Amino acid sequence: MNYADFHRRSIEEPDAFWAEQAKLVDWHKPFDTVCDYSKPPFVTWFAGGQTNLCHNAVDRHLATRPDDKALIWVSTEVDKEVVYSFRELHAEVQRMAAILRELGVKKGDRVLVYMPMIAEAAFTMLACARIGAIHSVVFGGFASVSLASRIDNAAPTVIVSADAGSRAGKVVPYKGLLDEAIKLAKAKPTKVLMVDRGLAKFERSAGRDEDYATLRSKHMNTQVPCEWVDSTHPSYTLYTSGTTGTPKGVQRDTGGYCVALAASMKHIYLGKPGETYFSTSDIGWVVGHSYIVYGPLIGGMATIMYEGLPIRPDAGVWWSLVEKYKVTSMFSAPTAVRVLKKQDPAYLKKYDLSSLRALFLAGEPLDEPTATWISESLGRPIIDNYWQTETGWPILSLCNGVEQLPSKFGSPGLAVYGYNVKLIDEATGKEMTHSDEKGVVMIEGPLPPGCMQTVWQDDERFVKTYWTVLDGKHMYSTFDWGVRDKDGYYFILGRTDDVINVAGHRLGTREIEESISSHANVAEVAVVGVADQLKGQVAMAFVIAKDASALGDQAARLKLEGEIMKVVDSQLGAVARPSRVLFVTALPKTRSGKLLRRALQAVAEHRDPGDMSTIEDPTALQQVKALVG
Ligand code: AMP
């Protein structure tokens, strides 16, 4: 089929289009309406319908492929590999569901998941979906303050965690950070379920902490049927950073998400039942939700869940998995490719990669040299796709399952079906109609199935943060700049807000600033994202010390820099640690006191900051220039 027609139909006849896609999933009760957009910008997909994500990901495959591989867990950290068939996964998920029920979890309750990349994390997510509980996975790299704010927002009945993760062979304890976070949080979970991997000793809080292995052994044969939930029932919340310091809980529905993922497996990710999908992300991020756990399983595929680094024991480890499990679709991030690019290219030739239909890359801009290198080395199509935690699945991509179209390196491709993408002039609010004009990437409402329903318990924040009415139409802002060429291919040019993207991890600069400000000797701080060859961007902090006399020499400055980094590590996690903390006596501000963030970033990247006539103290930027060299 012609993709342009496919896309046009999805926008002009959304009901007919999505009703067709909805046939890709099982419904316990058919829906009454496809799209209800009577209260914009809120949209309801498949109202009246009842389904269950776990049923679609696991149970429904029992009839046709019970012994096919479902979850392949590989850890190069602890040298273990476990393969679960759909039948075995079904049993494990029921055990986990029985445990959660025993611990008091009911439909609609939140279960917070703070876990490394272990199979039990996937069991937990699927078990929650099974019983209608709402999971809230927090990335394992976040530390106690980040975790505490998420616990407070989700107010979970139960938290599921583990003794430790492992990175590059080094044990990374989780439980101490979790205990600290629970102490800081106002909302207290009734129970903490601990998966003890035997990696790190930890203290148990009597009456609160429960042992997974002990409870599992009680429920070896417990049957827990799927709870049929309304299409609109929240399946999960996932926190993401924005302009303000408090992270937002992106709330996802059940029916729309299930349909969107099933359709994306077919049209975008080229997956077929019985094949193997390998996404190298982490369950703490949206890619892990959509394309490690739910998407591939809904599509009847085996999914590889990998704990470890891409270069350990050597840079061939991912490709060895592609060969061993005949991976057909692989999903990773540009930073990982840039890491591999620094290794011996012979590793790419060592394995039979002929099963691979395509390598999908997302999460951050894919620069042309990286795209060219991996495309030539792999000899397989590289498909860049652009999306966000909020949308849950791609906004821009090539939909080669519909029609094979050429890639253009540097571009994530065309607007995906269901997304009415527009480029809007920031100053006038008018649509850019000519090619190659830069505008804000916006999506005209309604958002398609699978996207966020709202901000968890904060409809007002959802409306205020993301939506504007232009010419009477509700428009969702992605907060990214973009241009479109004459063929309809988009190019993403970076964020319009204060969000930065470090190695594909989205971080709010305000969160990092708040953390740094808690150091006793910090009077003021500004954090900006600075271009980096490997990670795309890194965070750089500019600090005005309260007591500048403590910064007499280089050794003293390095000491304070180290202390500040430790504060960020312990509060937010190493993922948010700035690459440098530099000390200044003034920050570039306007006369009305507004921080000139873009100017600061430009100078830190050795670019021209542009018109600086509004700056209060011109020496501020000179100091930055001198520091960054
Ligand atoms: P996250 O919500 O963590 O997935 O981050 C979403 C943001 O990452 C987007 O708003 C973009 O700024 C950036 N992003 C994601 N994918 C791409 C891509 N393929 N090309 C350019 N930027 C991307």
Side-chain angles (χ1 to χ4, degrees):
M1 193 189 201
N2 169 310
Y3 180 69
D5 288 343
F6 190 77
H7 183 266
R8 195 174 307 116
R9 183 154 179 262
S10 75
I11 302 302
E12 290 173 3
E13 299 168 47
D15 282 10
F17 180 90
W18 286 108
E20 225 160 78
Q21 305 304 319
K23 291 183 190 149
L24 293 167
V25 312
D26 277 3
W27 294 90
H28 174 67
K29 181 172 170 276
F31 43 88
D32 304 319
T33 50
V34 178
C35 176
D36 175 359
Y37 195 46
S38 55
K39 294 191 191 86
F42 298 93
V43 58
T44 303
W45 287 99
F46 309 113
Q50 286 194 332
T51 185
N52 182 291
L53 272 180
C54 184
H55 167 83
N56 278 288
V58 184
D59 298 44
R60 71 163 168 158
H61 305 303
L62 293 176
T64 45
R65 51 188 74 258
D67 299 312
D68 275 13
K69 295 182 184 70
L71 179 67
I72 302 166
W73 178 67
V74 179
S75 173
T76 49
E77 293 292 337
V78 296
D79 278 331
K80 275 194 191 147
E81 213 161 302
V82 186
V83 177
Y84 300 86
S85 65
F86 277 101
R87 198 200 306 273
E88 288 161 337
L89 180 60
H90 182 240
E92 291 296 354
V93 171
Q94 293 202 86
R95 287 169 197 142
M96 184 62 89
I99 296 171
L100 294 178
R101 281 228 166 131
E102 183 180 330
L103 298 182
V105 177
K106 294 180 300 298
K107 178 179 167 190
D109 284 357
R110 274 78 56 216
V111 172
L112 190 133
V113 180
Y114 182 60
M115 292 172 99
M117 284 288 284
I118 53 176
E120 288 79 1
F123 303 160
T124 309
M125 293 165 75
L126 291 162
C128 286
R130 192 168 191 85
I131 61 175
I134 302 166
H135 60 70
S136 185
V137 182
V138 177
F139 176 56
F142 283 128
S144 43
V145 171
S146 307
L147 184 52
S149 71
R150 287 153 175 82
I151 293 174
D152 271 335
N153 192 270
T157 315
V158 167
I159 296 180
V160 186
S161 191
D163 56 337
S166 175
R167 198 174 154 77
K170 269 194 13 216
V171 170
V172 183
Y174 276 42
K175 182 60 166 37
L177 289 175
L178 175 61
D179 286 341
E180 179 67 30
I182 295 175
K183 217 180 279 165
L184 289 172
K186 285 180 210 75
K188 308 286 180 197
T190 26
K191 293 285 179 188
V192 172
L193 179 64
M194 290 298 300
V195 177
D196 187 356
R197 309 176 72 190
L199 292 179
K201 285 210 164 55
F202 61 91
E203 281 182 25
R204 285 174 199 276
S205 159
R208 187 196 73 186
D209 295 357
E210 301 284 348
D211 180 55
Y212 169 69
T214 311
L215 293 180
R216 180 177 174 274
S217 64
K218 273 173 61 182
H219 289 293
M220 290 309 283
N221 297 308
T222 311
Q223 310 267 308
V224 181
C226 285
E227 170 99 33
W228 299 111
V229 296
D230 289 342
S231 178
T232 50
H233 181 72
S235 55
Y236 68 78
T237 64
L238 178 59
Y239 291 91
T240 189
S241 308
T243 300
T244 61
T246 20
K248 294 180 287 274
V250 166
Q251 179 180 323
R252 198 92 62 207
D253 72 355
T254 298
Y257 187 52
C258 197
V259 171
L261 293 186
S264 73
M265 294 311 295
K266 184 174 167 195
H267 305 310
I268 303 174
Y269 294 109
L270 316 172
K272 295 199 178 81
E275 296 181 342
T276 306
Y277 197 95
F278 178 20
S279 166
T280 67
S281 182
D282 186 287
I283 46 141
W285 307 114
V286 67
V287 180
H289 284 63
S290 294
Y291 298 110
I292 293 176
V293 180
Y294 291 114
L297 294 175
I298 287 171
M301 300 178 80
T303 182
I304 298 181
M305 185 173 184
Y306 176 77
E307 179 184 48
L309 301 180
I311 51 169
R312 205 172 159 274
D314 60 48
V317 58
W318 283 357
W319 314 120
S320 75
L321 292 174
V322 171
E323 178 184 278
K324 181 169 177 186
Y325 293 107
K326 299 198 172 43
V327 171
T328 52
S329 299
M330 183 165 166
F331 190 140
S332 194
T335 293
V337 176
R338 287 191 290 265
V339 167
L340 291 172
K341 193 171 160 210
K342 291 176 127 188
Q343 310 289 317
D344 185 348
Y347 284 115
L348 275 154
K349 302 281 169 235
K350 211 174 139 188
Y351 299 96
D352 177 6
L353 307 178
S354 58
S355 59
L356 204 57
R357 271 190 206 112
L359 170 66
F360 298 88
L361 296 171
E364 54 180 314
L366 173 62
D367 54 288
E368 216 211 290
T370 304
T372 308
W373 176 79
I374 189 69
S375 161
E376 285 171 2
S377 315
L378 269 187
R380 287 275 167 273
I382 305 301
I383 299 178
D384 182 3
N385 50 127
Y386 158 85
W387 47 295
Q388 315 179 297
T389 306
E390 287 85 345
T391 65
W393 64 287
I395 305 167
L396 302 175
S397 183
L398 292 181
C399 299
N400 283 351
V402 181
E403 183 192 9
Q404 192 90 25
L405 289 167
S407 302
K408 292 191 190 187
F409 285 162
S411 162
L414 309 166
V416 166
Y417 55 90
Y419 291 95
N420 194 1
V421 181
K422 310 263 174 186
L423 289 177
I424 302 293
D425 183 331
E426 199 186 31
T428 63
K430 295 277 174 239
E431 189 179 347
M432 302 289 194
T433 43
H434 299 292
S435 51
D436 302 321
E437 282 179 333
K438 178 174 162 178
V440 181
V441 180
M442 292 204 174
I443 301 162
E444 187 180 323
L447 290 175
C451 295
M452 76 189 292
Q453 289 173 296
T454 186
V455 171
W456 173 248
Q457 291 189 323
D458 203 343
D459 285 349
E460 196 185 323
R461 191 168 175 204
F462 172 64
V463 177
K464 271 203 184 139
T465 307
Y466 296 104
W467 295 88
T468 9
V469 179
L470 299 175
D471 285 337
K473 288 177 181 141
H474 285 80
M475 305 291 291
Y476 166 90
S477 178
T478 61
F479 296 102
D480 281 302
W481 296 109
V483 292
R484 183 177 48 224
D485 73 7
K486 60 180 184 356
D487 302 320
Y489 284 66
Y490 286 83
F491 293 78
I492 299 296
L493 307 172
R495 298 279 303 194
T496 64
D497 60 5
D498 302 334
V499 163
I500 60 172
N501 193 319
V502 179
H505 298 161
R506 173 167 161 187
L507 301 167
T509 47
R510 298 289 166 88
E511 264 173 281
I512 306 175
E513 286 169 0
E514 277 175 22
S515 174
I516 292 177
S517 299
S518 71
H519 187 284
N521 197 11
V522 172
E524 252 189 276
V525 55
V527 171
V528 291
V530 177
D532 180 80
Q533 286 243 313
L534 187 68
K535 296 181 172 180
Q537 270 187 320
V538 290
M540 206 178 265
F542 295 91
V543 165
I544 302 177
K546 271 188 193 147
D547 176 11
S549 65
L551 296 173
D553 56 23
Q554 178 69 356
R557 284 193 290 276
L558 283 175
K559 182 167 169 282
L560 185 54
E561 177 173 14
E563 279 175 29
I564 289 172
M565 287 186 179
K566 267 207 192 109
V567 167
V568 177
D569 275 10
S570 68
Q571 293 188 358
L572 305 182
V575 63
R577 184 198 305 156
S579 67
R580 287 302 313 272
V581 179
L582 299 169
F583 299 97
V584 290
T585 56
L587 287 168
K589 288 187 180 168
T590 60
R591 281 181 205 101
S592 56
K594 200 170 163 296
L595 181 70
L596 290 160
R597 240 171 232 287
R598 286 185 199 172
L600 185 58
Q601 184 188 35
V603 173
E605 290 184 339
H606 309 104
R607 288 185 286 113
D608 177 6
D611 176 18
M612 283 291 104
S613 52
T614 60
I615 195 167
E616 190 189 19
D617 177 358
T619 67
L621 280 179
Q622 283 158 17
Q623 286 186 44
V624 172
K625 211 174 197 166
L627 283 169
V628 297

